[in-house]
Each structure stands twice: as structure tokens, then as C-alpha cells.
Amino acid sequence: MFFKDIIGQNEAKQHLLALIHEGKMPHAMLFCGIQGTGKLPLALATARYLCCENPDATDACGKCPSCIKMNKYIHPDVHFAFPIIKKKSGRDTVSDDFISEWRELLIESSYFSLSDWLRRMNAENQQAQIFVKESDEIQRKLSLKPSQSNNKIMIIWLPEKMNADCGNKLLKLIEEPPFHTFFFLITENPDTVLPTLVSRSQRFTIPPLEEKEIADWLIKKYMLQHNDANDIAHLSEGSVLKAIENIHISEENKLFFNYFTQLMRLAYARKVKEIKEWSEQIASLGRERQKKLLEYFQYMIRESFVYNFHCTDMIYLGKEEAAFTSRFAPFITERNILNITEVLTKAQQHIEQNANPKFVFFDSALKMILLIKQR
């Protein structure tokens, strides 16, 4: 990944280059922002630039031995840590156990989601973590002298998935790293990252992409008509990943939409027996998909509330979603939106804490019966 390959984010690129040119690059940076804005691509381009033997003012050369190795993400001085699942071998699992799959995904595209990565690992129902053993691997790798460049870079993708013991073991290393060693932490939920890690890093917030930037990319990438590209860019809320989803409506999103409409109709009709059956269906999805489902429910509730203001520029719904919301929106008002959101947020927390999903979803659905009547 080069700076020139990143979609938009010109100010972010200029800021990173200025830090490097002025010798002010912090030893630990926390790249924050919603998914699909280019946080990981920016970190990868910065790592390439720091390792390049002949960089120009704005980008790496692309020809030196370091750049050639970065093309396949096999540079000996650029290391990765990321959420993984446990293997059945019985020994402690670390990121390097999945490094081949990781490199394959990066080469295909550095714009991807946790769901994409879970599918690449064949995670099925397992939740991904950065396990405690990873801290030993990170310390071991960074204790070595640079092999091909003057710098060493550790890129940690989604540190919010890091085991607390793992994070605590890294605190001293991140606070006082070896000379010319840089940590790039890429997060979508900075509030859930271990606070002691956040306090030792310089926060760098990556804003959502401009609609025009996404539209221009869609026209170039998918040969879309301008009107179609503009419509999709508007629905994408500044995220390339959402733009791709809006082009190819995923089976997962269709499934989530169907589950949402089922729940709201059953709750309105007070069909408790059917709600119990609905909860049992959701319980079979696996925890990562259950969490994504709850995120989607919160999105639909928010959009339904905004729909009541009839301001099209603030509505980010697909055609099917908008058709349902036009009838459902009157049931989401200032009287119940906060309580509904709280129920869904707590359900998500309980799923993350390994609570029984049948109980969590059944309890939340029963509460929904009362809440959607409070309009």
C-alpha cells in the first residue's frame, strides 16, 4: 500500500508525511475512526515509507528491496498483531499462526472488516482475540535489531480485541520502545481499548470519507454511472466498506434486515411464543454475528427515529429498509428511543461477556414489546 493508493484522506497523508519529514513521528499512534475510512491503509503506507530506501517527498519509491518486500507484506522489520481464533493444536495461538491468511487478505485489499477476516480464518462461531501469548511474541520481535531498514514497526489491528493481560504486559515496551521503533494501533472503538494503552499513544482520528471521494472511487472501480455512484456514496456514511456492501447487498445484511423486521412485527403483535422461536434462531448464529446483528438493530432504530424528521440528507437507508421504515418510523420517538437503544447496547455487552444468547435475545425481545408501545 502506497499513499497514492489510499482513497481520499489527503489531510491525513500530509500530516503523517510532515511528522516523518520533521522527525516528530510519535513512538505510538492510535489510528481511530469508523471502519472503511482507510486507517489500516494509512498505517501500511506509513510503514512502507519509513522503511523505503529512496523515498521522495510524498511516497515510497516502490523499487528498492524494502518496497518489494512490502508488496507481499514480508518485510522483516514490519510486524503484525491482530485478532485470531484458537487452533486445536493445544498450544498457545499467536498472530503468526495465521500470517499467511493475513498477507493474502492484505494483498487482495487493505480495506476489509473483522467479518471479512473471520471468514478468511474459517472462524465459524468462535470469537477472535489477541491472546496473552502475543505480548511475548511482540517483545521478542522488537528486541531484535532492524534487519533491512533503520526502523521497526509493529502494526496492531483492533487492539480493542486484546486480552487485558496481554495489553498490560506491553505497557512498558510501548512507553519506552527500542530506538526507532514505532507502534501503529488501528481501532474502530477507541473507548474499549485498554485505557493504559490509549494514554501511551498519540491519538490520530481519521474522519469519514467525503461523499465525492467515495463516488469518484466507485466510478473508477465499478464503472458506475454518476447518479448511481452519488446515491451509493450518500448511503455509505463515509465508509468504503459500506459502499461495497451497498453495491453488493450481502446475504448477511439481508438476513439481519429480515430478523429486524420479524422482531418488530412479532413485538407489535405480542406473539410471545413466536418471539421465543425467533430468539432460538438468533442463538444459532454465533457470537460475532450476534454482535453485528445487534449493531445493525441499533442502526435501524437510529435511522427510523431520524426518518420522522423527513430530512433526506440525514437518512442512510437502502430501498427495502426505507420501505419498511416509512411504516415503522412512527413507533420510534423521543419517548422510547433511548430505552430501546439501552436494551440493545446491554444485550451486545452480555453477548460479549458470553451470556446465554437464548436468554439475552428473548429478554430483549420481551422488553421491545413494551417499548415500541411507548410512542
Side-chain angles (χ1 to χ4, degrees):
M1 176 59 67
F2 293 85
F3 282 117
K4 65 183 179 182
D5 297 326
I6 296 169
I7 302 165
Q9 303 299 0
N10 291 325
E11 288 188 13
K13 297 175 194 176
Q14 292 169 10
H15 177 70
L16 289 167
L17 286 167
L19 290 174
I20 296 171
H21 294 155
E22 296 168 11
K24 296 180 180 179
M25 175 63 68
H27 64 270
M29 289 191 75
L30 187 69
F31 290 72
C32 309
I34 62 172
Q35 69 172 16
T37 55
K39 301 180 298 299
L40 179 58
L42 283 165
L44 293 169
T46 304
R48 179 190 283 268
Y49 194 85
L50 286 168
C51 292
C52 180
E53 297 170 23
N54 302 297
D56 61 26
T58 59
D59 220 333
C61 71
K63 300 177 181 178
C64 68
S66 285
C67 282
I68 291 171
K69 286 183 171 64
M70 278 299 294
N71 290 341
K72 296 183 178 179
Y73 300 102
I74 56 173
H75 196 290
D77 300 320
V78 179
H79 308 284
F80 298 96
F82 40 81
I84 54 174
I85 57 173
K86 286 188 176 181
K87 288 199 168 184
K88 296 179 181 179
S89 61
R91 65 179 179 81
D92 292 327
T93 312
V94 294
S95 295
D96 277 357
D97 291 323
F98 291 91
I99 195 64
S100 295
E101 294 90 340
W102 176 257
R103 286 169 176 157
E104 289 171 2
L105 190 56
L106 284 179
I107 290 169
E108 288 176 18
S109 174
S110 54
Y111 290 87
F112 57 83
S113 66
L114 177 59
S115 295
D116 297 326
W117 174 231
L118 290 172
R119 282 193 292 272
R120 185 56 61 102
M121 287 192 294
N122 295 317
E124 296 179 345
N125 291 338
Q126 294 190 64
Q127 295 191 80
Q129 288 187 49
I130 300 176
F131 297 103
V132 64
K133 181 65 177 177
E134 198 70 50
S135 60
D136 296 332
E137 281 294 292
I138 291 173
Q139 293 183 48
R140 180 187 65 79
K141 290 173 181 176
L142 297 184
S143 68
L144 304 173
K145 292 183 178 180
S147 174
Q148 193 164 337
S149 69
N150 294 324
N151 302 306
K152 291 180 291 184
I153 297 99
M154 172 57 68
I155 297 176
I156 302 178
W157 185 61
L158 303 186
E160 55 265 41
K161 299 291 184 182
M162 183 177 286
N163 177 287
D165 290 336
C166 176
N168 287 325
K169 289 176 71 173
L170 292 175
L171 295 181
K172 183 171 177 59
L173 179 63
I174 292 178
E175 188 170 14
E176 299 176 5
F179 192 57
H180 281 292
T181 297
F182 303 97
F183 283 88
F184 298 154
L185 285 71
I186 321 297
T187 178
E188 293 168 5
N189 295 292
D191 293 340
T192 60
V193 178
L194 196 66
T196 44
L197 284 179
V198 175
S199 66
R200 287 164 172 77
S201 308
Q202 185 175 113
R203 188 162 176 159
F204 183 36
T205 300
I206 311 301
L209 290 163
E210 297 290 334
E211 288 186 14
K212 185 180 185 305
E213 293 171 338
I214 295 177
D216 290 345
W217 177 78
L218 290 171
I219 293 167
K220 182 179 179 181
K221 177 77 173 177
Y222 295 98
M223 306 294 291
L224 297 181
Q225 296 296 318
H226 281 78
N227 289 343
D228 293 337
N230 289 334
D231 289 344
I232 291 170
H234 174 67
L235 293 174
S236 302
E237 300 181 81
S239 168
V240 168
L241 295 180
K242 283 194 176 182
I244 296 171
E245 285 182 0
N246 287 330
I247 294 174
H248 313 289
I249 299 298
S250 68
E251 291 301 315
E252 187 171 75
N253 278 359
K254 288 181 182 177
L255 181 68
F256 290 172
F257 174 68
N258 289 335
Y259 278 135
F260 179 79
T261 56
Q262 287 171 16
L263 173 59
M264 296 307 159
R265 286 167 176 153
L266 292 172
Y268 179 78
R270 302 190 175 209
K271 294 184 177 181
V272 176
K273 181 181 177 181
E274 287 82 353
I275 284 175
K276 184 175 183 294
E277 293 172 354
W278 177 91
S279 303
E280 291 171 352
Q281 282 185 320
I282 304 296
S284 67
L285 291 179
R287 293 191 183 273
E288 289 296 341
R289 293 183 81 190
Q290 288 163 5
K291 289 189 285 186
K292 283 197 69 178
L293 176 73
L294 288 164
E295 288 177 4
Y296 178 81
F297 281 17
Q298 292 174 62
Y299 156 79
M300 284 298 293
I301 293 296
R302 181 181 65 251
E303 292 299 314
S304 297
F305 179 70
V306 173
Y307 193 93
N308 291 312
F309 296 98
H310 305 290
C311 184
T312 55
D313 289 342
M314 297 173 62
I315 298 170
Y316 303 95
L317 293 167
K319 291 182 179 179
E320 282 187 81
E321 293 169 334
F324 174 78
T325 302
S326 66
R327 301 185 300 274
F328 176 69
F331 293 92
I332 306 300
T333 70
E334 65 276 3
R335 292 188 178 184
N336 61 9
I337 184 172
L338 294 179
N339 289 332
I340 291 175
T341 302
E342 183 181 3
V343 167
L344 295 173
T345 302
K346 285 186 176 179
Q348 192 169 0
Q349 292 170 351
H350 291 153
I351 292 298
E352 288 174 348
Q353 294 163 0
N354 292 322
N356 187 312
K358 289 183 182 179
F359 296 155
V360 172
F361 282 99
F362 186 52
D363 178 67
S364 300
L366 291 178
K367 290 175 180 174
M368 209 63 65
I369 292 176
L370 300 175
L371 290 171
I372 64 172
K373 296 289 186 177
Q374 295 177 2
R375 56 185 177 126

